[in-house]
Structures are given as structure tokens and as C-alpha cells.
Amino acid sequence: MTAFDRGLLGHRCWLELATGERVDLPVDRWTAIPCEGDDVLLDACDGPTLDVGCGPGRLTAALSERGVASLGVDISATAVRLTHARGAAALHRDVFDRLPGEGRWRHVLLADGNIGIGGDPHRLLTRMAELITDGGTVLVELDPPGRGVRQGRVRLRPDDDGNWFTWAWVGVEAIADLAARTAFRVAWATSHGRRWFACLEKA
């Protein structure tokens, strides 16, 4: 169950870790128009782009408005409906299920911390390599330097049924090693404001 399905749009919510730590979720940013830092990702997409974990579709819709063929994918039916309401295409599907155009996407987006999907960044990037074409890229948003790679059980707060799921976080300094272990290399890494990004190319 996601923040979108729980009706938390417009409300403050966070991930609670098993340790008791709290990670605030930028729901307002997800539901807004493209904002500070988003152009780093959008400007790097010059061909068919798959937006994994698209949420309400701000990036999928922005790419469509730029004339870039794009498709959002999300496990939340509500998020997909919101993406459609923006006039963009999206599928209600798990990224590890069969997807259209496998092996032919020019770019894949893992924005807003979606490198954490499934709680296993190695498995996720291995899957991304199956989706993109030769010469394609994965554009990923990362945690600030010094965070390393973390994995843990989390649950959505405050309005959740208590179900725990696994998530992961990757600091920008850790992406080169992770990329090398998943048939990628880091083409570039940069920051904008408090956000960090990297572009991964198939090695």
C-alpha cells in the first residue's frame, strides 16, 4: 500500500524504520509540477523513457509535454490514475513483471529515491539493464555523500495498516561500485540544491 492509495496526498507522511528512525517523504514535491532539480533528469532524456515508480506522474507528463515518448510504471493504481489525469501514459504493474518494450528503452528514470524499490539495488539495476537498449542509460536519484548503501524494513506512517516492506538507500559515493557490479558505469554524477543524481551507462 502506497501513500497514494492511503489518501495521504497533501498530508505529511514518512517511513518508519524498524530502528524507530523516521524518513520524511516529500509528497508535496511528488504531486507538484516539475521542481528544482528535476531538469537534471528531464534534460538527459532524449528518447523513449520508462519512468519506474512514476507516482502521480510529474516527470512522465513533463517528458510527454517535451515531445519525448514516455511511460510511467507504478504498483499503485491511484498513482497510475493520477498520471493518466495529467495526460500521460502509465501502467499499473510491478517493474519486475513483463513490461512493454523490454530491451528497447533509451532511458529509465529512478527518481525520488526509487533506487530503493524492492530493497535490493543490485537486483533492481540488473533488471534495469534488461529494459534499456545498448547505449541506453539509467538516470537515478541518490542520497547525499556519506550514506553508503542501506537496506531495512520500513512501514508507511502515519496512516497505514502496519505492513512492513523492504526498502533501500544508496549514497552518491556508493553508486560507482554498485554500477560496476551490475554491468553499468557512471557516466556522470551531480547535485542540484539538496538533491543528488547519477547517469549510468551499460558497460
Side-chain angles (χ1 to χ4, degrees):
M1 189 69 70
T2 71
F4 314 112
D5 298 309
R6 297 297 295 180
L8 295 178
L9 297 183
H11 300 276
R12 187 176 184 185
C13 60
W14 61 89
L15 293 178
E16 178 189 341
L17 280 67
T19 60
E21 182 183 353
R22 191 167 102 170
V23 178
D24 288 328
L25 299 175
V27 176
D28 288 344
R29 186 178 81 204
W30 297 342
T31 56
I33 61 173
C35 58
E36 183 181 19
D38 286 341
D39 281 345
V40 174
L41 301 171
L42 297 171
D43 290 348
C45 298
D46 58 4
T49 301
L50 187 68
D51 184 5
V52 173
C54 65
R58 83 178 188 283
L59 298 179
T60 312
L63 288 170
S64 295
E65 291 168 3
R66 292 178 175 214
V68 176
S70 58
L71 176 67
V73 176
D74 205 288
I75 62 168
S76 164
T78 302
V80 169
R81 176 178 56 78
L82 292 169
T83 301
H84 290 164
R86 291 179 184 247
L91 286 177
H92 178 209
R93 198 168 298 178
D94 189 309
V95 69
F96 294 103
D97 293 339
R98 188 72 181 171
L99 294 173
E102 294 204 12
R104 299 195 301 275
W105 292 99
R106 176 70 180 163
H107 310 286
V108 172
L109 292 180
L110 289 172
D112 302 320
N114 283 334
I115 187 67
I117 288 174
D120 185 345
H122 184 279
R123 177 179 180 234
L124 183 63
L125 287 182
T126 299
R127 174 62 172 147
M128 298 303 98
E130 296 172 350
L131 296 173
I132 61 174
T133 187
D134 290 342
T137 64
V138 176
L139 298 149
V140 57
E141 185 165 357
L142 301 161
D143 274 14
R147 303 287 181 87
V149 178
R150 295 189 299 155
Q151 296 166 290
R153 300 288 286 171
V154 301
R155 59 183 173 181
L156 184 64
R157 289 302 194 196
D159 185 14
D160 190 45
D161 52 14
N163 288 334
W164 293 85
F165 58 96
T166 306
W167 199 255
W169 298 265
V170 178
V172 66
E173 83 286 356
I175 192 61
D177 179 64
L178 180 60
R181 293 188 287 112
T182 53
F184 286 102
R185 60 173 172 267
V186 178
W188 51 258
T190 190
S191 63
H192 192 291
R194 297 182 178 182
R195 299 173 68 188
W196 289 82
F197 309 93
C199 176
L200 311 183
E201 295 177 337
K202 271 190 177 180

